[in-house]
Amino acid sequence: MKKLIGTVLTAAALLVGCGEKGDETVTAETIKPIDINMSLVFTQNELLTQELIKVSDKIRERTDGSINIKVFPGGQLPVYKDNLEQVVNGANWIAVEDLSYLGDYVPDFAALAGPMLYNSYDEYLAMMDTEFVAGLKDQVEQKGIKVLNADYMFGFRHMITNKEIKKSADMKGMRIRVPGSQLFISTLSSMGASPASLPFPETYAGVQQGVVDGLEGSILTMYSTKIYEVAKNMSLTKHFLGTVGIYISPTLWDKFTPEQQQIVTEELDAGAVSNTAELIKLDAEYTKKLEELGVTFNEVDTAEFSKLTADVYNQFPTWSSDIHSTIMKELEAIRAAQ
């Protein structure tokens, strides 16, 4: 009886392997299309959105439509905390959010988005490749969030005003628009400003009418929103680096075949490289255009602002008490190796 069963199994294996038709049947039965929503707050025409649309198209093409990622920009679907909750709940969902939102699950992750850390895009990318960050990724995956990629950036944030700012004393009494985030509020306060939480769509009129004295944002933001029409100075504080991570449920990820996982990883990696290259290009291009439009750029006392903002890391009780020194040690090692 055992001999007969073995003969039947061998014959079946030969039939499956003897032609393309058999391979196609197995593939069609075992790999079912998976539709996934990707939610992000960035608008349709922003660089990061365009790069992720290209990535999703490539993944769809390379997987023959079996991984179908639909990109929903501009907050059409839940964003911020609600975005991450979809992932944690195991939905067919990919969230694109700032690293600070991972802090709700692994507090120290938020510190990687803290003030005055990175001097360049390369430093941030090197930080994401450290064992320290790998450990945080492992911790957050245990909470139901797999970090597919954290290398997507949208630029350094600077002070945008009608006044040259070089040191903290220059910011005294200035009302600066910030997002409604405690990290932003604490940071701008430590730098000497009076932070004012204001919806971004109201910011242009707010600066124009003197409700606020300026805002903080990137070169790309200043140009694309035409804020340069009401604020003619950018002080290069680099107080934050705008970054996002790409997050998925480990449960959903495990439904992918190894080949699908490899394709998704490869295309997200390639998209991050393309995004960085284009960001560097646009930084230079928009700086030149802004200068032609009458905007003045100036350097600041980075050492002073770094010293003042260091205390921000002590204002979040859930963060490790030595988190700032831990991150700085990693950055010192990165800088020494460059």
Side-chain angles (χ1 to χ4, degrees):
M1 186 68 176
K2 289 182 179 179
K3 184 177 180 181
L4 176 60
I5 292 173
T7 303
V8 171
L9 290 174
T10 302
L14 288 170
L15 284 171
V16 171
C18 69
E20 291 183 3
K21 186 175 180 180
D23 290 339
E24 290 172 358
T25 301
V26 171
T27 301
E29 290 177 352
T30 56
I31 303 179
K32 297 180 180 179
I34 301 175
D35 293 327
I36 303 169
N37 292 333
M38 175 184 282
S39 179
L40 58 158
V41 73
F42 299 88
T43 59
Q44 177 78 25
N45 64 344
E46 290 187 75
L47 170 62
L48 197 137
T49 302
Q50 291 300 311
E51 291 292 345
L52 289 174
I53 288 173
K54 287 191 290 185
V55 167
S56 64
D57 288 344
K58 287 289 290 182
I59 290 171
R60 189 179 302 107
E61 176 187 338
R62 289 185 62 192
T63 63
D64 296 323
S66 63
I67 301 295
N68 181 34
I69 300 172
K70 304 173 185 177
V71 180
F72 291 88
Q76 297 177 57
L77 297 180
V79 291
Y80 305 133
K81 291 186 178 183
D82 293 339
N83 203 356
L84 267 295
E85 286 180 5
Q86 294 288 332
V87 171
V88 173
N89 291 337
N92 283 18
W93 197 277
I94 292 177
V96 181
E97 294 293 349
D98 186 287
L99 296 181
S100 63
Y101 288 97
L102 295 179
D104 290 338
Y105 303 90
V106 176
D108 283 350
F109 233 126
L112 289 168
M116 306 300 293
L117 292 178
Y118 313 104
N119 294 328
S120 68
Y121 297 149
D122 284 343
E123 285 186 4
Y124 171 77
L125 294 173
M127 174 64 81
M128 291 302 103
D129 201 32
T130 60
E131 290 185 11
F132 169 65
V133 172
L136 293 177
K137 289 179 179 179
D138 288 341
Q139 291 179 47
V140 83
E141 187 162 346
Q142 297 303 312
K143 303 289 186 178
I145 301 170
K146 179 175 179 61
V147 181
L148 290 175
N149 194 293
D151 291 351
Y152 284 79
M153 301 174 285
F154 53 95
F156 280 103
R157 302 176 78 100
H158 311 289
M159 301 305 303
I160 303 172
T161 64
N162 279 306
K163 174 186 176 182
E164 182 180 78
I165 295 167
K166 288 191 173 182
K167 52 187 183 299
S168 62
D170 298 329
M171 296 178 67
K172 186 175 181 180
M174 293 186 70
R175 286 176 54 80
I176 302 297
R177 182 269 170 188
V178 295
S181 159
Q182 189 56 51
L183 183 57
F184 278 78
I185 292 169
S186 295
T187 297
L188 268 292
S189 295
S190 71
M191 293 173 71
S194 297
S197 185
L198 188 71
F200 192 77
E202 299 176 18
T203 303
Y204 184 105
V207 176
Q208 188 178 44
Q209 297 167 12
V211 175
V212 290
D213 299 306
L215 65 153
E216 52 81 54
S218 69
I219 291 170
L220 272 62
T221 296
M222 188 181 197
Y223 182 77
S224 62
T225 60
K226 297 188 176 182
I227 286 291
Y228 58 80
E229 294 177 345
V230 293
K232 292 293 187 180
N233 197 91
M234 175 170 271
S235 300
L236 302 173
T237 51
K238 288 186 176 180
H239 54 278
F240 285 124
L241 174 58
T243 68
V244 295
I246 317 294
Y247 317 122
I248 194 171
S249 164
T251 303
L252 175 58
W253 181 248
D254 288 342
K255 292 179 182 179
F256 295 3
T257 66
E259 182 182 8
Q260 289 172 331
Q261 291 179 348
Q262 182 177 349
I263 289 170
V264 170
T265 300
E266 287 176 354
E267 292 304 329
L268 281 171
D269 288 351
V273 172
S274 175
N275 182 78
T276 301
E278 190 65 17
L279 176 59
I280 292 170
K281 176 183 173 183
L282 290 178
D283 274 346
E285 180 183 326
Y286 288 175
T287 295
K288 183 177 179 181
K289 288 183 176 180
L290 286 168
E291 287 175 336
E292 291 172 352
L293 290 164
V295 174
T296 300
F297 293 83
N298 69 272
E299 299 293 332
V300 305
D301 186 346
T302 304
E304 184 202 14
F305 285 123
S306 294
K307 184 177 180 180
L308 291 171
T309 56
D311 187 59
V312 171
Y313 294 86
N314 299 320
Q315 297 176 25
F316 295 85
T318 57
W319 295 5
S320 296
S321 58
D322 61 345
I323 189 61
H324 185 245
S325 60
T326 298
I327 293 174
M328 293 311 296
K329 285 178 183 177
E330 295 285 350
L331 284 171
E332 286 167 9
I334 289 168
R335 288 163 187 163
Q338 289 180 344

Short mmCIF file of all heavy atoms in Angstrom, two decimals, residues 243-287:
data_model
loop_
_atom_site.label_atom_id
_atom_site.label_comp_id
_atom_site.label_asym_id
_atom_site.label_seq_id
_atom_site.Cartn_x
_atom_site.Cartn_y
_atom_site.Cartn_z
N THR A 243 10.42 63.49 7.85
CA THR A 243 10.57 62.10 7.39
C THR A 243 9.27 61.34 7.61
O THR A 243 8.43 61.75 8.43
CB THR A 243 11.69 61.37 8.15
OG1 THR A 243 11.29 61.18 9.52
CG2 THR A 243 12.99 62.14 8.11
N VAL A 244 9.11 60.24 6.90
CA VAL A 244 7.97 59.35 7.15
C VAL A 244 8.44 57.91 7.06
O VAL A 244 9.45 57.60 6.43
CB VAL A 244 6.81 59.55 6.14
CG1 VAL A 244 6.20 60.92 6.27
CG2 VAL A 244 7.26 59.28 4.71
N GLY A 245 7.67 57.05 7.70
CA GLY A 245 7.87 55.61 7.57
C GLY A 245 6.70 55.02 6.81
O GLY A 245 5.62 55.61 6.73
N ILE A 246 6.92 53.83 6.25
CA ILE A 246 5.88 53.09 5.53
C ILE A 246 5.56 51.86 6.38
O ILE A 246 6.43 51.02 6.61
CB ILE A 246 6.37 52.64 4.13
CG1 ILE A 246 7.14 53.77 3.43
CG2 ILE A 246 5.20 52.14 3.30
CD1 ILE A 246 6.32 54.98 3.08
N TYR A 247 4.32 51.75 6.86
CA TYR A 247 3.97 50.74 7.85
C TYR A 247 2.86 49.80 7.36
O TYR A 247 1.91 50.23 6.70
CB TYR A 247 3.50 51.41 9.15
CG TYR A 247 4.34 52.58 9.58
CD1 TYR A 247 3.78 53.85 9.75
CD2 TYR A 247 5.71 52.44 9.80
CE1 TYR A 247 4.55 54.93 10.13
CE2 TYR A 247 6.49 53.52 10.19
CZ TYR A 247 5.91 54.76 10.36
OH TYR A 247 6.68 55.83 10.73
N ILE A 248 2.98 48.52 7.74
CA ILE A 248 2.01 47.50 7.36
C ILE A 248 1.81 46.55 8.53
O ILE A 248 2.69 46.42 9.39
CB ILE A 248 2.50 46.73 6.11
CG1 ILE A 248 1.37 45.91 5.47
CG2 ILE A 248 3.69 45.84 6.45
CD1 ILE A 248 1.75 45.31 4.13
N SER A 249 0.68 45.88 8.57
CA SER A 249 0.43 44.87 9.61
C SER A 249 1.29 43.64 9.35
O SER A 249 1.34 43.14 8.22
CB SER A 249 -1.04 44.47 9.61
OG SER A 249 -1.23 43.26 10.33
N PRO A 250 1.98 43.11 10.37
CA PRO A 250 2.73 41.86 10.18
C PRO A 250 1.84 40.72 9.70
O PRO A 250 2.27 39.85 8.95
CB PRO A 250 3.30 41.58 11.58
CG PRO A 250 3.36 42.92 12.24
CD PRO A 250 2.16 43.66 11.72
N THR A 251 0.58 40.74 10.15
CA THR A 251 -0.36 39.70 9.72
C THR A 251 -0.60 39.76 8.22
O THR A 251 -0.61 38.74 7.53
CB THR A 251 -1.70 39.86 10.46
OG1 THR A 251 -1.48 39.81 11.87
CG2 THR A 251 -2.68 38.75 10.07
N LEU A 252 -0.79 40.98 7.70
CA LEU A 252 -0.97 41.15 6.26
C LEU A 252 0.32 40.80 5.52
O LEU A 252 0.29 40.13 4.48
CB LEU A 252 -1.39 42.59 5.95
CG LEU A 252 -1.51 42.97 4.47
CD1 LEU A 252 -2.52 42.07 3.75
CD2 LEU A 252 -1.91 44.45 4.33
N TRP A 253 1.45 41.23 6.04
CA TRP A 253 2.74 40.96 5.41
C TRP A 253 2.96 39.46 5.27
O TRP A 253 3.48 38.99 4.24
CB TRP A 253 3.85 41.58 6.25
CG TRP A 253 5.23 41.40 5.72
CD1 TRP A 253 6.23 40.64 6.27
CD2 TRP A 253 5.81 42.00 4.55
NE1 TRP A 253 7.38 40.73 5.52
CE2 TRP A 253 7.15 41.57 4.45
CE3 TRP A 253 5.32 42.88 3.58
CZ2 TRP A 253 8.00 41.96 3.43
CZ3 TRP A 253 6.16 43.28 2.55
CH2 TRP A 253 7.49 42.82 2.48
N ASP A 254 2.56 38.69 6.26
CA ASP A 254 2.77 37.24 6.23
C ASP A 254 1.88 36.54 5.21
O ASP A 254 2.11 35.36 4.88
CB ASP A 254 2.52 36.64 7.62
CG ASP A 254 3.62 37.00 8.61
OD1 ASP A 254 4.71 37.40 8.16
OD2 ASP A 254 3.40 36.89 9.83
N LYS A 255 0.88 37.24 4.69
CA LYS A 255 0.04 36.68 3.63
C LYS A 255 0.72 36.75 2.27
O LYS A 255 0.31 36.09 1.32
CB LYS A 255 -1.31 37.41 3.58
CG LYS A 255 -2.19 37.18 4.80
CD LYS A 255 -3.50 37.96 4.67
CE LYS A 255 -4.36 37.77 5.91
NZ LYS A 255 -5.62 38.55 5.82
N PHE A 256 1.76 37.59 2.16
CA PHE A 256 2.49 37.70 0.90
C PHE A 256 3.40 36.48 0.72
O PHE A 256 3.91 35.93 1.70
CB PHE A 256 3.39 38.95 0.90
CG PHE A 256 2.66 40.27 0.94
CD1 PHE A 256 1.28 40.34 1.04
CD2 PHE A 256 3.37 41.45 0.87
CE1 PHE A 256 0.63 41.57 1.09
CE2 PHE A 256 2.74 42.69 0.91
CZ PHE A 256 1.36 42.74 1.02
N THR A 257 3.62 36.09 -0.51
CA THR A 257 4.61 35.06 -0.77
C THR A 257 6.00 35.68 -0.60
O THR A 257 6.15 36.91 -0.63
CB THR A 257 4.50 34.54 -2.22
OG1 THR A 257 4.83 35.60 -3.12
CG2 THR A 257 3.08 34.04 -2.51
N PRO A 258 7.04 34.85 -0.39
CA PRO A 258 8.39 35.40 -0.29
C PRO A 258 8.75 36.26 -1.50
O PRO A 258 9.43 37.29 -1.35
CB PRO A 258 9.27 34.15 -0.20
CG PRO A 258 8.38 33.13 0.45
CD PRO A 258 7.01 33.40 -0.11
N GLU A 259 8.33 35.87 -2.68
CA GLU A 259 8.63 36.64 -3.88
C GLU A 259 7.94 38.00 -3.84
O GLU A 259 8.53 39.03 -4.19
CB GLU A 259 8.19 35.89 -5.14
CG GLU A 259 8.53 36.64 -6.43
CD GLU A 259 8.06 35.92 -7.67
OE1 GLU A 259 7.33 34.91 -7.55
OE2 GLU A 259 8.40 36.37 -8.78
N GLN A 260 6.67 38.02 -3.39
CA GLN A 260 5.95 39.28 -3.26
C GLN A 260 6.62 40.20 -2.24
O GLN A 260 6.76 41.40 -2.46
CB GLN A 260 4.50 39.02 -2.87
CG GLN A 260 3.65 38.40 -3.96
CD GLN A 260 2.28 37.99 -3.46
OE1 GLN A 260 2.10 37.65 -2.28
NE2 GLN A 260 1.29 38.01 -4.34
N GLN A 261 7.03 39.63 -1.12
CA GLN A 261 7.71 40.42 -0.09
C GLN A 261 8.99 41.04 -0.64
O GLN A 261 9.28 42.21 -0.37
CB GLN A 261 8.02 39.53 1.11
CG GLN A 261 6.80 39.09 1.90
CD GLN A 261 7.17 38.20 3.07
OE1 GLN A 261 8.30 37.71 3.18
NE2 GLN A 261 6.21 37.96 3.96
N GLN A 262 9.74 40.27 -1.42
CA GLN A 262 10.99 40.77 -2.00
C GLN A 262 10.71 41.92 -2.97
O GLN A 262 11.42 42.93 -2.95
CB GLN A 262 11.72 39.65 -2.73
CG GLN A 262 13.06 40.08 -3.33
CD GLN A 262 13.81 38.93 -3.98
OE1 GLN A 262 13.45 37.77 -3.83
NE2 GLN A 262 14.84 39.26 -4.73
N ILE A 263 9.67 41.78 -3.78
CA ILE A 263 9.34 42.83 -4.75
C ILE A 263 8.94 44.11 -4.04
O ILE A 263 9.39 45.21 -4.39
CB ILE A 263 8.22 42.35 -5.69
CG1 ILE A 263 8.75 41.28 -6.65
CG2 ILE A 263 7.63 43.53 -6.49
CD1 ILE A 263 7.67 40.57 -7.45
N VAL A 264 8.08 44.00 -3.03
CA VAL A 264 7.63 45.18 -2.28
C VAL A 264 8.82 45.87 -1.62
O VAL A 264 8.96 47.10 -1.69
CB VAL A 264 6.57 44.78 -1.22
CG1 VAL A 264 6.28 45.96 -0.28
CG2 VAL A 264 5.28 44.32 -1.88
N THR A 265 9.69 45.10 -1.01
CA THR A 265 10.87 45.65 -0.35
C THR A 265 11.78 46.36 -1.35
O THR A 265 12.23 47.49 -1.12
CB THR A 265 11.66 44.55 0.37
OG1 THR A 265 10.82 43.94 1.37
CG2 THR A 265 12.90 45.11 1.05
N GLU A 266 12.04 45.70 -2.48
CA GLU A 266 12.93 46.26 -3.50
C GLU A 266 12.38 47.57 -4.06
O GLU A 266 13.12 48.55 -4.23
CB GLU A 266 13.13 45.26 -4.64
CG GLU A 266 14.01 44.08 -4.26
CD GLU A 266 14.11 43.04 -5.37
OE1 GLU A 266 13.39 43.18 -6.40
OE2 GLU A 266 14.88 42.08 -5.21
N GLU A 267 11.08 47.61 -4.34
CA GLU A 267 10.50 48.81 -4.95
C GLU A 267 10.41 49.96 -3.96
O GLU A 267 10.60 51.12 -4.33
CB GLU A 267 9.13 48.49 -5.55
CG GLU A 267 9.19 47.57 -6.76
CD GLU A 267 10.08 48.11 -7.87
OE1 GLU A 267 10.19 49.35 -8.02
OE2 GLU A 267 10.68 47.29 -8.59
N LEU A 268 10.12 49.67 -2.70
CA LEU A 268 10.10 50.73 -1.69
C LEU A 268 11.51 51.28 -1.47
O LEU A 268 11.69 52.49 -1.31
CB LEU A 268 9.52 50.22 -0.38
CG LEU A 268 8.00 50.13 -0.31
CD1 LEU A 268 7.55 49.39 0.95
CD2 LEU A 268 7.35 51.52 -0.36
N ASP A 269 12.50 50.41 -1.47
CA ASP A 269 13.89 50.86 -1.34
C ASP A 269 14.28 51.74 -2.52
O ASP A 269 14.89 52.81 -2.34
CB ASP A 269 14.84 49.65 -1.27
CG ASP A 269 14.75 48.91 0.06
OD1 ASP A 269 14.07 49.42 0.98
OD2 ASP A 269 15.33 47.82 0.16
N ALA A 270 13.93 51.31 -3.72
CA ALA A 270 14.26 52.08 -4.92
C ALA A 270 13.53 53.42 -4.92
O ALA A 270 14.09 54.45 -5.32
CB ALA A 270 13.89 51.28 -6.17
N GLY A 271 12.29 53.42 -4.44
CA GLY A 271 11.51 54.66 -4.37
C GLY A 271 12.12 55.65 -3.39
O GLY A 271 12.13 56.86 -3.64
N ALA A 272 12.65 55.16 -2.28
CA ALA A 272 13.29 56.03 -1.30
C ALA A 272 14.54 56.68 -1.88
O ALA A 272 14.79 57.86 -1.66
CB ALA A 272 13.63 55.23 -0.04
N VAL A 273 15.32 55.90 -2.61
CA VAL A 273 16.53 56.44 -3.25
C VAL A 273 16.16 57.51 -4.27
O VAL A 273 16.77 58.59 -4.32
CB VAL A 273 17.33 55.30 -3.94
CG1 VAL A 273 18.47 55.87 -4.77
CG2 VAL A 273 17.88 54.33 -2.89
N SER A 274 15.13 57.24 -5.07
CA SER A 274 14.67 58.21 -6.06
C SER A 274 14.15 59.47 -5.39
O SER A 274 14.43 60.59 -5.83
CB SER A 274 13.57 57.57 -6.92
OG SER A 274 13.01 58.51 -7.81
N ASN A 275 13.40 59.30 -4.29
CA ASN A 275 12.84 60.43 -3.56
C ASN A 275 13.95 61.33 -3.02
O ASN A 275 13.86 62.57 -3.13
CB ASN A 275 11.96 59.93 -2.42
CG ASN A 275 11.31 61.05 -1.65
OD1 ASN A 275 10.33 61.64 -2.08
ND2 ASN A 275 11.84 61.35 -0.47
N THR A 276 14.99 60.73 -2.45
CA THR A 276 16.10 61.51 -1.90
C THR A 276 16.82 62.29 -3.00
O THR A 276 17.13 63.48 -2.83
CB THR A 276 17.10 60.60 -1.17
OG1 THR A 276 16.43 59.92 -0.11
CG2 THR A 276 18.25 61.41 -0.59
N ALA A 277 17.08 61.63 -4.12
CA ALA A 277 17.77 62.28 -5.23
C ALA A 277 16.96 63.46 -5.75
O ALA A 277 17.52 64.55 -6.02
CB ALA A 277 18.03 61.27 -6.35
N GLU A 278 15.66 63.28 -5.87
CA GLU A 278 14.80 64.35 -6.38
C GLU A 278 14.67 65.47 -5.35
O GLU A 278 14.60 66.65 -5.71
CB GLU A 278 13.42 63.79 -6.72
CG GLU A 278 12.51 64.73 -7.48
CD GLU A 278 13.01 65.08 -8.87
OE1 GLU A 278 13.89 64.36 -9.39
OE2 GLU A 278 12.54 66.09 -9.44
N LEU A 279 14.64 65.11 -4.07
CA LEU A 279 14.56 66.11 -3.00
C LEU A 279 15.79 67.02 -3.02
O LEU A 279 15.66 68.24 -2.91
CB LEU A 279 14.45 65.39 -1.65
CG LEU A 279 14.43 66.27 -0.39
CD1 LEU A 279 13.26 67.25 -0.43
CD2 LEU A 279 14.36 65.39 0.86
N ILE A 280 16.97 66.43 -3.15
CA ILE A 280 18.20 67.22 -3.22
C ILE A 280 18.16 68.16 -4.43
O ILE A 280 18.52 69.34 -4.34
CB ILE A 280 19.42 66.28 -3.31
CG1 ILE A 280 19.58 65.52 -1.99
CG2 ILE A 280 20.70 67.07 -3.63
CD1 ILE A 280 20.59 64.39 -2.05
N LYS A 281 17.69 67.64 -5.54
CA LYS A 281 17.58 68.44 -6.76
C LYS A 281 16.61 69.60 -6.58
O LYS A 281 16.90 70.75 -6.94
CB LYS A 281 17.11 67.54 -7.91
CG LYS A 281 16.87 68.25 -9.22
CD LYS A 281 16.33 67.28 -10.26
CE LYS A 281 15.91 68.01 -11.53
NZ LYS A 281 15.31 67.07 -12.52
N LEU A 282 15.45 69.32 -5.99
CA LEU A 282 14.44 70.37 -5.81
C LEU A 282 14.85 71.39 -4.76
O LEU A 282 14.52 72.57 -4.88
CB LEU A 282 13.09 69.73 -5.43
CG LEU A 282 12.39 68.95 -6.54
CD1 LEU A 282 11.09 68.34 -6.03
CD2 LEU A 282 12.10 69.84 -7.75
N ASP A 283 15.56 70.95 -3.71
CA ASP A 283 16.08 71.90 -2.72
C ASP A 283 16.90 72.98 -3.41
O ASP A 283 16.74 74.18 -3.15
CB ASP A 283 16.94 71.18 -1.68
CG ASP A 283 16.14 70.59 -0.52
OD1 ASP A 283 14.96 70.97 -0.37
OD2 ASP A 283 16.69 69.77 0.22
N ALA A 284 17.81 72.55 -4.29
CA ALA A 284 18.68 73.49 -4.99
C ALA A 284 17.89 74.34 -5.98
O ALA A 284 18.07 75.57 -6.06
CB ALA A 284 19.79 72.73 -5.72
N GLU A 285 17.00 73.69 -6.70
CA GLU A 285 16.21 74.39 -7.72
C GLU A 285 15.30 75.44 -7.10
O GLU A 285 15.22 76.59 -7.56
CB GLU A 285 15.39 73.36 -8.49
CG GLU A 285 14.51 73.94 -9.59
CD GLU A 285 13.68 72.88 -10.27
OE1 GLU A 285 14.16 71.73 -10.41
OE2 GLU A 285 12.53 73.18 -10.66
N TYR A 286 14.61 75.06 -6.02
CA TYR A 286 13.67 75.99 -5.38
C TYR A 286 14.38 77.08 -4.60
O TYR A 286 13.87 78.19 -4.48
CB TYR A 286 12.70 75.22 -4.47
CG TYR A 286 11.67 74.40 -5.22
CD1 TYR A 286 10.80 73.57 -4.55
CD2 TYR A 286 11.58 74.45 -6.60
CE1 TYR A 286 9.85 72.81 -5.22
CE2 TYR A 286 10.65 73.70 -7.29
CZ TYR A 286 9.78 72.87 -6.60
OH TYR A 286 8.86 72.12 -7.27
N THR A 287 15.57 76.78 -4.06
CA THR A 287 16.35 77.82 -3.40
C THR A 287 16.68 78.93 -4.39
O THR A 287 16.52 80.13 -4.10
CB THR A 287 17.65 77.25 -2.80
OG1 THR A 287 17.31 76.32 -1.77
CG2 THR A 287 18.52 78.35 -2.21
#
